Amino acid sequence: MKTIFTVRNVLVFGLLAFLAVIPAYADVTGNTFIMTLFTRIVILAIAAVSLNLIMSYGGMVSFGHAAYLGIGGYAVGILAFEGINSGFVQWPVAMIACGLFALVTGALSLRTRGVYFIMITLAFAQMIYYVGVSLDRYGADDGLTIYKRSNFGSLINLSNKTTFYYVCLVTLFATMYLVWRLVNSRFGMVIQGARSNDRRMRAIGIPTFRYRLVCFVIAGMMCGLAGILLANQADFVSPATMHWTRSGDLIVMAVLGGMGSVIGPVVGAVALLVLEETLPHIIAVVGHFVTGLEMTAAREYWQLVLGPMLLLVVLYARGGIDGLLRGGRRD
Amino acid sequence: MLLFIEQTLNGLQFGLLLFLLAAGLTLVFGIMDLVNLAHGSLYMLGAYFAATFTALTGHFIGGVVLALMATLLVGMAVEVIAMRRLYGRDHLDHVLGTFGLILFFNELVRLIWGPAGMNLTLPSWLNTSIELMPGVHYSMYRLSIIIVSLAVAISLYFVVMRTRIGMLIRAGASNREMIGALGINIKLLFTLVFGAGAALAGLAGLMQAAILTAQIGMGENILILAFVVIIIGGIGSIRGAFVASLLVGLIDTVGRAFLPDVLKLFLSNSAASTAGPALSSMLIYLVMAVILVARPEGLFPAANK
């Protein structure tokens, strides 16, 4: 009795379709702000999807995932600063840098488990954060402005907002597809098996360490891609990109949206970032409606509402938003 | 040499401060198995309460005592309202939920005390320096932090190791279900432990507030250090937290003071002045990574769970 027309599937499809028509909507209404906002959302969704791969399928809770946003961004920024604008050089270099960082830190981190893993990934991210702070030649604390976006010759022009948005969106869809294929492959089975019982997996002769490390590297490189796009979008990269609270944001997106599905983190990224933008207005309008007073001052304190909301999601919606839509069915 | 003594004392002082923060964190972690990112918020609240109450009462010690009681109450309230529901959940849920609490407390503080920081003014008898050895002067206030923290550490050790409540806490750390089954009111025990941890964090916060200022988000960076401490020390181990916090405090402070000079021996001046600060900020994370690679459960792993 399985139907694909569940409320959840319709909404998920609606969300994806909505993402696809944003540029048209922005064009018609002349609302450029929504383009900027959603480009950011799509990019951070890529990062959240990559985190979700290691976190919910691999059981590796990384509290330092923002490091890859920074490494990817800085690779683009530094190359551009040194006069190398070609995207054909910048992007591979950035991804290889992320892959190497993931390989080294992953090989060390994967020796630990649970909370220790959370904290050692955080430690490595903090180290790379302080490397960013110390890059005097590249702006140190103040960050590095990128004057020219990655140049792909006549192939594609990233300076065009609509083109750039679709590049990000296609990257997001490709990432989701890749994650989906990965988790449903033999490789994905090993990763999920290692999450639920590592010892048993090794006992039946599977070198889980290697599989988990490869998975960690793949996720790091995917997130590096998000870092490349983020730096191109903002035309700027700074150590704040890889502050530990940013890693926290990524975890929030994945958990808020719902772990255990490929689409969950995307839902979470959209929900969190849209909420951040709209909550001040909602507070002002609802406050005005309830109290009859002018509530413009209350707008500032939207985090006072967001904080408890996150707590409520944790307490009463354990599968995140996606879990709610599935009607509490747990798998 | 003078500088070295002073920096070592500063490191000791910072380490002991970290211990106050880490002790509560490691107890909550060890006993309730709860990752509490909001511990830094309690640290911040302690600082703000102290600044407010000392200004209100015009009396330093009185203000401090009131601030500690207020933080204790807030901690217990947070436990009853929110944390209690998070026990037994995934660590990820803890991270998300308490991350939400950080946002909440930061905004609350901004709403009540405004965006500008607050100063905690010291009474004149603390705001002097003392001659430790002939020619070696040291801030009276920093010395008193060392003394107070050591006293707290010793009494904490005594309470945990020698009293009935301490026995329950240790039993709780090694097997929660069992002490519940033996008829101990764990709910009350958990609330008390959480409140005590909050008060310790508040104490650390208010002591730091007199050196820096009380400001929003002050608890966030030091919280990460406190986590580093309890991870290095081994989760749930007070002894581990003590050793690790002194280690981290000394490495961080002494590293910051002397690493750039040491690097100058090997590198050119400009390279050393660039790499020095970065490397000294990274130093403790480096130490933590090395320790975890060598001993994945920290220096003093708590009894097997």
Side-chain angles (χ1 to χ4, degrees):
Chain A
M1 292 291 279
K2 255 192 164 173
T3 163
I4 57 166
F5 290 105
T6 58
V7 177
R8 178 217 176 220
N9 286 359
V10 169
L11 283 175
V12 163
F13 181 76
L15 176 70
L16 296 182
F18 175 71
L19 287 178
V21 299
I22 288 282
Y25 172 79
D27 223 23
V28 171
T29 58
N31 184 347
T32 51
F33 172 71
I34 199 169
M35 273 292 281
T36 316
L37 173 64
F38 270 86
T39 312
R40 231 180 104 73
I41 290 177
V42 168
I43 294 170
L44 289 176
I46 299 171
V49 167
S50 75
L51 176 62
N52 187 44
L53 170 64
I54 49 174
M55 200 163 78
S56 55
Y57 295 104
M60 301 172 256
V61 180
S62 165
F63 202 169
H65 213 57
Y68 303 101
L69 286 179
I71 295 173
Y74 264 103
V76 169
I78 289 174
L79 285 173
F81 184 82
E82 302 295 351
I84 303 168
N85 282 314
S86 169
F88 295 112
V89 179
Q90 285 182 350
W91 291 36
V93 168
M95 291 189 67
I96 289 169
C98 286
L100 284 178
F101 182 74
L103 188 67
V104 174
T105 61
L108 296 174
S109 311
L110 285 173
R111 294 169 50 98
T112 62
R113 297 258 140 191
V115 183
Y116 292 96
F117 183 83
I118 300 184
M119 290 300 150
I120 196 170
T121 47
L122 173 69
F124 284 123
Q126 287 293 94
M127 283 186 214
I128 210 77
Y129 171 81
Y130 287 114
V131 169
V133 171
S134 72
L135 290 174
D136 276 341
R137 184 174 161 77
Y138 306 110
D141 248 340
D142 299 331
L144 178 64
T145 304
I146 300 167
Y147 293 100
K148 266 187 171 161
R149 289 190 177 178
S150 301
N151 181 5
F152 281 98
S154 55
L155 187 69
I156 215 163
N157 177 14
L158 290 187
S159 301
N160 181 310
K161 280 194 171 163
T162 311
T163 315
F164 187 74
Y165 179 80
Y166 279 115
V167 168
C168 295
L169 195 63
V170 167
T171 312
L172 173 64
F173 287 164
T175 315
M176 286 163 63
Y177 179 70
L178 184 64
V179 170
W180 181 68
R181 286 298 298 264
L182 270 179
V183 298
N184 289 307
S185 67
R186 180 179 176 276
F187 177 84
M189 293 300 147
V190 172
I191 293 298
Q192 292 172 65
R195 178 196 59 191
S196 47
N197 196 334
D198 193 52
R199 190 177 291 177
R200 189 172 291 175
M201 288 302 281
R202 274 181 313 196
I204 59 173
I206 294 168
T208 52
F209 179 83
R210 258 182 261 163
Y211 281 85
R212 299 175 80 214
L213 184 57
V214 169
C215 187
F216 192 80
V217 171
I218 292 174
M221 291 175 78
M222 279 180 182
C223 190
L225 204 52
I228 295 171
L229 293 169
L230 198 62
N232 270 298
Q233 192 235 354
D235 301 311
F236 179 72
V237 59
S238 78
T241 318
M242 40 190 174
H243 195 249
W244 70 271
T245 47
R246 178 58 67 85
S247 300
D249 283 341
L250 292 178
I251 295 183
V252 169
M253 285 174 199
V255 180
L256 178 67
M259 306 204 336
S261 76
V262 177
I263 189 78
V266 182
V267 177
V270 174
L272 183 68
L273 293 170
V274 168
L275 214 56
E276 278 186 8
E277 288 302 329
T278 55
L279 210 50
H281 307 288
I282 296 175
I283 292 173
V285 170
V286 172
H288 179 70
F289 185 75
V290 173
T291 61
L293 298 168
E294 208 49 58
M295 296 292 280
T296 36
R299 284 163 164 244
E300 263 188 72
Y301 300 103
W302 57 274
Q303 290 199 336
L304 209 55
V305 180
L306 182 66
M309 269 172 84
L310 291 180
L311 194 61
L312 287 178
V313 168
V314 172
L315 292 179
Y316 299 109
R318 297 187 63 173
I321 298 172
D322 192 33
L324 277 183
L325 294 177
R326 284 167 190 236
R329 229 172 347 112
R330 318 248 313 159
D331 43 11
Chain B
M1 191 58 204
L2 271 182
L3 187 66
F4 184 74
I5 293 175
E6 193 186 341
Q7 291 297 348
T8 309
L9 281 174
N10 281 349
L12 190 67
Q13 175 251 313
F14 185 54
L16 286 168
L17 201 75
L18 273 178
F19 172 71
L20 294 184
L21 204 55
L25 206 56
T26 203
L27 278 181
V28 168
F29 218 149
I31 300 173
M32 288 91 120
D33 196 25
L34 177 85
V35 183
N36 181 16
L37 294 185
H39 203 63
S41 300
L42 298 163
Y43 170 87
M44 173 178 70
L45 282 180
Y48 273 93
F49 281 143
T52 312
F53 289 137
T54 44
L56 230 66
T57 58
H59 191 269
F60 185 74
I61 300 289
V64 165
V65 170
L66 279 178
L68 286 181
M69 282 177 1
T71 326
L72 179 84
L73 287 180
V74 171
M76 285 171 40
V78 166
E79 200 272 347
V80 170
I81 294 168
M83 299 301 178
R84 181 171 284 184
R85 291 160 227 275
L86 287 170
Y87 301 149
R89 290 289 193 84
D90 211 301
H91 284 150
L92 257 185
D93 286 355
H94 301 161
V95 170
L96 183 62
T98 53
F99 193 74
L101 280 179
I102 293 183
L103 300 182
F104 175 75
F105 277 117
N106 280 347
E107 287 298 303
L108 191 68
V109 166
R110 200 152 73 91
L111 189 70
I112 297 175
W113 283 283
M118 278 184 95
N119 287 315
L120 176 60
T121 30
L122 288 175
S124 53
W125 55 273
L126 272 177
N127 210 357
T128 54
S129 68
I130 185 173
E131 192 164 16
L132 289 179
M133 272 180 268
V136 181
H137 290 269
Y138 196 64
S139 152
M140 182 67 193
Y141 182 62
R142 285 184 187 261
L143 189 70
S144 63
I145 292 185
I146 295 180
I147 295 168
V148 168
S149 311
L150 269 180
V152 170
I154 292 168
S155 37
L156 197 64
Y157 182 82
F158 180 77
V159 168
V160 171
M161 289 302 176
R162 291 279 180 275
T163 62
R164 187 177 153 75
I165 188 118
M167 186 180 72
L168 294 179
I169 289 173
R170 277 179 294 139
S174 56
N175 195 330
R176 248 179 310 170
E177 286 80 12
M178 187 54 93
I179 69 159
L182 290 175
I184 306 300
N185 185 348
I186 335 184
K187 274 194 169 173
L188 185 64
L189 181 68
F190 284 4
T191 310
L192 286 177
V193 169
F194 196 90
L200 286 178
L203 179 63
L206 68 90
M207 292 203 296
Q208 185 76 316
I211 296 180
L212 306 169
T213 49
Q215 53 186 324
I216 295 164
M218 65 185 276
E220 285 161 26
N221 287 326
I222 202 164
L223 171 81
I224 298 293
L225 285 186
F227 267 112
V228 169
V229 164
I230 68 172
I231 294 289
I232 291 180
I235 290 168
S237 160
I238 294 269
R239 192 166 46 133
F242 187 73
V243 173
S245 49
L246 291 187
L247 193 70
V248 167
L250 284 171
I251 289 178
D252 193 54
T253 313
V254 176
R256 264 171 222 278
F258 297 107
L259 201 63
D261 292 331
V262 174
L263 281 179
K264 275 184 191 149
L265 298 177
F266 309 103
L267 298 168
S268 69
N269 256 351
S270 65
S273 58
T274 316
L279 205 61
S280 38
S281 312
M282 282 160 62
L283 207 56
I284 45 161
Y285 298 105
L286 214 62
V287 170
M288 168 179 165
V290 169
I291 288 178
L292 277 194
V293 167
R295 299 183 63 114
E297 302 240 296
L299 291 176
F300 298 91
N304 41 335
K305 297 184 104 180

